[in-house]
Amino acid sequence: MAGLEVLYTCVAGSISCPQDAVVCFVHWEMIKNGYRCVGAGDEPRSSDKKSELLPAEWSSNKELYSLRYKATDNDNQILLKAITVDSTLIFNLMNSGTQQVSDLTVNISDHVDADQLHTFDSVFKNADTLSEKVKTQLLPSQDRSAGQRKSRSEEEEGEQRRRADDSDPLRIPGRHPRQGTRPHWSDPMAPPFAAGGADLDPFGSRSGGMIVDPLRSGYPRSGFDPSSGIPDILPPGAVPPGARFDPFGPVGRHRPGKGSEYVSHHWHQRPDPDHMPPPGYDDMFM
């Protein structure tokens, strides 16, 4: 509480009741938060000047205290009033520039020892609690006010910019990129070649190829292994281990009337009940 002791000593002659001590304490909180007292009363005077001290007539009325302040960085006037009601002191603060109003009710006996008014070391009780109440309930936060002003300024600039863009008939609307996480290219092949590159990999090493791969569908697989060959269709080793394999015809079954010529001779194999020629096969112009 550096500075409060000096202030309290300077005005000790004007302090005659507990509410005087509370007003002095709140005044010092105003000073610490960047305000300066310019005078007493509701109306400005020609003799007003910014000062950290309390004006001479600040405690002339014990029922109603009225002090005027201005911030160090602007001339907006702030009016602080304190009204004595029984054993409490009701503070009311109004900013004439923003019309912002705040108030605080202080129980005098909770924070001032009436028997120690002229002993600074013991006059105040729970000083930290009272200081916190003044900062959070009565005084506007400087940082918060600055942040709000900055936020409002940015919103206004953004709105003006959007209006200007919308009113420009020659402006081409910009593309808004899709929000979300970027794809992870684990392949050393950089875009755009990575897209679709898996279809060109005959061994399926990059997990690409068919839209629905029967060997990589995620469902339980049978014991079929194309690398071991298919009787009467593929010899062992014809399909490299791990390569993607698209089965042709039923696997593991010997259909009547079909042999190796099913693959090598196409339409010249023995007749088959479910074998139908392609449309227009006898049309020489096809």
Side-chain angles (χ1 to χ4, degrees):
M1 298 172 61
L4 177 58
E5 182 177 3
V6 176
L7 173 66
Y8 197 86
T9 303
C10 292
V11 298
S14 302
I15 296 177
S16 58
C17 59
Q19 53 265 36
D20 287 343
V22 176
V23 172
C24 180
F25 187 97
V26 173
H27 166 80
W28 181 245
E29 290 296 327
M30 296 282 294
I31 300 301
K32 288 198 304 180
N33 282 270
Y35 298 95
R36 297 294 181 265
C37 186
V38 296
D42 297 346
E43 300 297 329
R45 303 174 184 176
S46 58
S47 59
D48 288 348
K49 65 177 182 178
K50 295 181 180 180
S51 174
E52 294 184 1
L53 301 176
L54 283 164
E57 64 277 17
W58 69 276
S59 62
S60 58
N61 188 344
K62 305 298 183 181
E63 301 297 325
L64 175 62
Y65 299 82
S66 182
L67 299 171
R68 288 176 287 107
Y69 296 84
K70 286 185 179 181
T72 55
D73 56 352
N74 60 64
D75 290 332
N76 287 341
Q77 182 167 286
I78 294 178
L79 178 61
L80 176 67
K81 289 190 174 185
I83 303 173
T84 304
V85 179
D86 296 332
S87 61
T88 62
L89 199 57
I90 301 175
F91 289 90
N92 182 276
L93 185 143
M94 185 183 70
N95 189 325
S96 61
T98 62
Q99 300 301 314
Q100 181 182 2
V101 178
S102 58
D103 58 80
L104 171 66
T105 300
V106 178
N107 191 336
I108 300 174
S109 60
D110 289 345
H111 300 286
V112 174
D113 187 345
D115 297 330
Q116 302 291 333
L117 292 179
H118 298 289
T119 307
F120 175 79
D121 293 339
S122 55
V123 63
F124 292 109
K125 300 184 296 183
N126 302 318
D128 293 339
T129 302
L130 179 57
S131 176
E132 186 66 20
K133 288 181 179 179
V134 173
K135 291 178 183 178
T136 58
Q137 300 182 34
L138 186 64
L139 301 182
S141 173
Q142 295 298 308
D143 294 338
R144 189 180 310 162
S145 299
Q148 292 175 350
R149 288 194 297 269
K150 182 178 179 180
S151 177
R152 285 195 297 268
S153 177
E154 291 177 351
E155 291 178 357
E156 291 174 359
E157 290 178 1
E159 183 64 23
Q160 292 176 357
R161 191 180 302 110
R162 285 191 293 271
R163 290 178 180 176
D165 292 342
D166 294 341
S167 62
D168 186 357
L170 301 179
R171 180 180 178 274
I172 299 177
R175 294 182 178 180
H176 299 282
R178 182 180 178 182
Q179 300 295 328
T181 57
R182 296 183 58 185
H184 175 65
W185 303 102
S186 58
D187 198 305
M189 181 182 294
F193 303 104
D199 291 337
L200 305 178
D201 187 354
F203 297 99
S205 59
R206 295 185 302 163
S207 303
M210 295 182 295
I211 297 177
V212 179
D213 189 344
L215 301 183
R216 295 178 175 83
S217 62
Y219 293 96
R221 294 172 51 186
S222 65
F224 170 67
D225 182 7
S227 64
S228 62
I230 302 176
D232 299 330
I233 297 179
L234 289 175
V239 179
R244 187 186 68 219
F245 175 70
D246 301 337
F248 47 89
V251 177
R253 295 179 56 190
H254 296 282
R255 301 176 62 189
K258 286 194 176 182
S260 59
E261 66 273 11
Y262 176 72
V263 178
S264 60
H265 300 292
H266 299 289
W267 302 110
H268 303 288
Q269 72 276 18
R270 294 191 293 272
D272 186 91
D274 64 355
H275 180 203
M276 297 185 65
Y281 78 102
D282 56 347
D283 188 350
M284 62 179 296
F285 297 102
M286 286 291 290

